[in-house]
Amino acid sequence: MSDSGGASGRSPRADAADPLSPDPTRFSVRRSGGRLTLDGVDLAELASDLGTPTYVYAIRQVCARYRAFRGAFTGVPLTVAYAVKANGHQAILSALAAMGAGADVVSGGELTRALAAGVPPSRIVFSGVGKTDAELDLALGSEVGAIHLESAGELARLDARAAALGRTARVGLRVNPDIVVDTHASLKTGERTSKFGIAFAEIGEVSRSLAMRPRLTLAGLSCHIGSQLKTADRHIAAADRLLESIPSLRAAGHPVDYVDLGGGMGIPYQPTEPDFDLGTLAAALAPRVRGAAVELVLEPGRFIVGNAGVLLTRVVDRKRRAGRWFVVVDAGYTDLARPALYGAHHMIVPCRWPSPTDPCLTLDVAGPICDSSDFLARGRRLHLPAVGDVLAILSAGAYGMSMASTFCARPLPCEVMVRDGEARVIRPRQTVDDLHRTEAVPNWSTSEPGRGNPPHGAPAENQK
Ligand code: LLP
């Protein structure tokens, strides 16, 4: 996942081989003449029209990935609960909802988004390690398909809220399956030491407690072992662990009609990386879920949207320091956090193709933020772009905009959706005014600063 650092210097142009080879379709973009396009839209022109940084999503690719995911499990009773956190834009959610997708949500905000986009409540699963009472109330009131419990304490809280509201709910136990996965440390969620889920040893106790709470029905077991996993074997191991518990739960009177294995199906971030092998996963899971007479729920996020999106950024400066080339661009970790946060590799491709005779260099692509971690790539072999050139950062459809922030008073990027050569702005660029519009400057009751402050929570005078 991580970039290797690298020495700088000139090199033969053979190093500048087409970065999209061998299969450009996996990254959605295409070279068309000297131009880079996304579903027929010229990305450099789009950047000139709308400015940068700008996210661009190919909705056909999103739908194709959803269909491919579903298609791999033909004949298996399956709900695809799209992980809203990957990219929760209404235009994406509503397209997926129209194709029959459910949603995996982890906050009241995501639940509200999914409902607004038309996802039927019965196809929504509410996960999340720290659900507040207000979020539990929203889930109860919305009659979501299942609320995934993280602990005995959360079970007691949910029951109390259900009693207070006169509601019932289907719940799942989010189990920590203690499965070691091969991915970045921050993306591992199913190991024994992780903060997520209920330990295997606690399932008996929590299910006995559930049996005494008639408002709540134990409908399923869930887990999410980690993200950006490259092979299916860990999901299969997780399925076996979860399915093992079902006979004793059913014998104790719990219906347990589904098993939810979470998301985590990885995508290629480089041409040499394989796509996740859904065929192997489906072939292994089909007899298991049939044998256990359960419905399967899967929560892919990245697999559906990751390679359907790019982030456009413009080169604002370039310089050479201590033998290293720095290309400074107008997108930083506020726009795409993954390279700085996880050392993640995102391909960077020029929107106007360089001449084959242009030399290739090893360079660092840096963002504008006052933090030395603000890089989009380090030690990357690229043609040295000119100031003003537009670069496309690939595989940015998942965990790009959804993790963006406004640090350094940087407005959130514009978002655009493309289809068949047409582009539509689906979220205008935030303005600097938007950033401080809701800030209040207190008008203290005493003229002496620091004295006579109103108690915490008291409204500032200009808000009264
Ligand atoms: N279900 C649950 C309960 C999850 O926690 C997640 C991701 C998913 C499904 C979807 O996983 P996916 O299919 O997208 O791998 N910010 C990180 C990713 C964190 C994912 C957290 N949970 C990144 O940029 O790689």
Side-chain angles (χ1 to χ4, degrees), residues 19-310:
L20 299 179
S21 67
D23 180 5
T25 56
R26 297 199 302 165
F27 300 95
S28 306
V29 287
R30 279 175 195 280
R31 274 181 64 181
S32 175
R35 291 144 181 268
L36 194 72
T37 60
L38 186 61
D39 202 359
V41 172
D42 184 309
L43 292 173
E45 271 175 22
L46 200 62
S48 296
D49 291 349
L50 298 170
T52 47
T54 289
Y55 276 100
V56 194
Y57 311 117
I59 189 61
R60 284 200 190 285
Q61 176 74 356
V62 173
C63 296
R65 291 293 279 186
Y66 175 79
R67 267 193 301 272
F69 196 96
R70 272 224 76 93
F73 291 87
T74 304
V76 180
L78 170 70
T79 294
V80 179
Y82 167 69
V84 172
K85 64 175 81 63
N87 187 327
H89 194 287
Q90 290 291 293
I92 287 176
L93 287 183
S94 58
L96 291 172
M99 295 176 81
D104 156 57
V105 300
V106 293
S107 68
E110 286 190 354
L111 173 53
T112 305
R113 269 185 179 280
L115 293 170
V119 181
S122 62
R123 288 197 208 131
I124 297 178
V125 289
F126 192 0
S127 315
V129 75
K131 303 177 208 72
T132 64
D133 282 3
E135 289 175 323
L136 293 176
D137 286 0
L138 185 63
L140 287 163
S142 311
E143 300 184 345
V144 296
I147 300 173
H148 288 165
L149 293 173
E150 287 274 341
S151 71
E154 191 178 61
L155 165 60
R157 244 173 355 105
L158 177 65
D159 195 31
R161 295 313 307 157
L165 300 177
R167 294 281 183 173
T168 59
R170 280 164 53 89
V171 303
L173 300 186
R174 169 143 181 199
V175 176
N176 180 325
D178 190 14
I179 286 188
V180 176
V181 292
D182 178 18
T183 190
H184 188 277
S186 302
L187 309 191
K188 298 178 178 184
T189 48
E191 298 184 6
R192 195 171 5 159
T193 50
S194 100
K195 68 177 174 181
F196 300 98
I198 294 168
F200 257 95
E202 291 172 274
I203 293 180
E205 184 196 326
V206 175
S207 63
R208 281 191 293 280
S209 172
L210 250 169
M212 293 183 297
R213 302 174 190 268
R215 287 177 211 90
L216 306 180
T217 304
L218 177 50
L221 296 178
S222 86
C223 69
H224 172 74
I225 51 178
S227 259
Q228 185 52 13
L229 306 186
K230 299 209 170 101
T231 56
D233 58 314
R234 303 288 78 198
H235 285 92
I236 299 166
D240 285 339
R241 297 222 69 183
L242 261 52
L243 292 170
E244 258 168 40
S245 306
I246 291 182
S248 60
L249 290 170
R250 284 191 179 148
H254 300 289
V256 194
D257 54 41
Y258 73 88
V259 162
D260 179 342
L261 299 177
M265 301 77 190
I267 59 168
Y269 280 91
Q270 304 192 53
T272 47
E273 288 175 352
D275 212 343
F276 189 87
D277 186 357
L278 285 179
T280 297
L281 184 63
L285 293 183
R288 286 169 165 85
V289 301
R290 241 179 261 125
V294 285
E295 189 201 333
L296 180 63
V297 180
L298 294 171
E299 304 172 357
R302 189 188 322 260
F303 185 92
I304 308 290
V305 290
N307 273 324
V310 304

Side-chain angles (χ1 to χ4, degrees), residues 10 313-319 325-330 348-355 358-366 380-392:
R10 288 188 168 258
T313 185
R314 198 176 282 277
V315 177
V316 292
D317 198 7
R318 51 181 217 186
K319 57 189 169 189
W325 270 105
F326 292 93
V327 171
V328 184
V329 296
D330 65 1
I348 299 181
V349 182
C351 288
R352 290 273 185 263
W353 221 259
S355 139
D358 286 350
C360 194
L361 300 175
T362 298
L363 42 84
D364 290 357
V365 181
R380 190 70 65 84
R381 306 291 300 166
L382 283 176
H383 289 284
L384 180 66
V387 169
D389 281 1
V390 179
L391 304 177

